[in-house]
Amino acid sequence: MQHRFNKSAAPSSAEFDYVIIGAGSAGSAIAYRLGEDKSISIALIEYGGSDAGPFIQMPAALSYPMNMRLYDWGYRAVAEPALDGRSLVCPRGKVIGGSSSINGMIYVRGHAGDYDHWQAQGASGGSYADILPYFKKMETALDGAAGMGRCILPAASNPTHCITPLCAPPDRQDMPLPPIIMASARRGLARQI
């Protein structure tokens, strides 16, 4: 697949078999899969630029891209009465990779019940049991055993680079982290002690 960052690379009269608007996670994945068929032409259109900047590539800089007009659209939610009228920031990526490029490398499977609900609503093959093997293909346990149902350090061959949140040591159960982890586990985030 050829990547072009020149916004005027294609003439305005060009014709393509497929036009994909947005080179975020979904748009990029669709373009990649379609690109496996060399007989078709694809235009992948992205307003933002390259994700090769140091603020995106360096994990320690995770908050910078979310606050830079170069990488973020600058959206805000409507004022929320339950938040005393405050309006929350809603970072949305304006860059190759979209919001996945500015999300601080956060990975969450999602709640199993959501997948099951989508299946019940007609998404055939979309239950958690159906999707789980694909999550496990991306994840490897710290001891190297694949598909342990937890997201920790992956093997070099796996695309998901993730770690499990650290738990408080047994002698420090007064720390706020364990209740946060327990609440997250109830919502689908894997837990390991």
Side-chain angles (χ1 to χ4, degrees):
M1 172 176 246
Q2 182 178 6
H3 295 100
R4 294 184 187 173
F5 298 112
N6 181 348
K7 292 180 181 175
S8 61
S12 60
S13 62
E15 290 187 19
F16 298 93
D17 296 313
Y18 296 92
V19 176
I20 301 167
I21 309 298
S25 298
S28 295
I30 291 168
Y32 181 84
R33 290 298 300 267
L34 287 171
E36 292 173 347
D37 181 348
K38 303 301 180 204
S39 70
I40 62 172
S41 61
I42 306 158
L44 176 58
I45 301 170
E46 170 60 46
Y47 181 86
S50 170
D51 66 346
F55 291 114
I56 290 178
Q57 301 300 319
M58 181 174 52
L62 73 101
S63 68
Y64 289 102
M66 289 186 233
N67 296 296
M68 296 174 70
R69 298 293 295 170
L70 176 65
Y71 299 124
D72 178 44
W73 285 101
Y75 293 142
R76 295 189 68 87
V78 296
E80 178 61 50
L83 295 175
D84 205 19
R86 288 179 290 153
S87 174
L88 300 178
V89 174
C90 297
R92 304 306 305 157
K94 181 173 59 172
V95 62
I96 300 291
S99 298
S100 292
S101 289
I102 66 167
N103 75 356
M105 300 170 57
I106 296 169
Y107 167 83
V108 179
R109 284 184 181 174
H111 192 275
D114 290 336
Y115 295 98
D116 294 338
H117 174 73
W118 295 328
Q119 166 123 347
Q121 297 297 309
S124 179
S127 73
Y128 189 72
D130 293 329
I131 303 298
L132 184 59
Y134 297 99
F135 284 128
K136 288 182 177 182
K137 280 183 179 183
M138 294 189 305
E139 303 163 0
T140 301
L142 186 59
D143 60 7
M148 296 302 292
R150 55 192 178 186
C151 181
I152 54 180
L153 300 175
S157 63
N158 289 348
T160 306
H161 304 284
C162 54
I163 60 171
T164 298
L166 300 175
C167 294
D171 62 336
R172 291 297 316 271
Q173 292 300 309
D174 59 321
M175 295 173 67
L177 196 51
I180 292 169
I181 292 172
M182 294 304 294
S184 298
R186 285 192 295 275
R187 292 297 300 155
L189 181 66
R191 177 179 180 213
Q192 177 196 354
I193 297 178

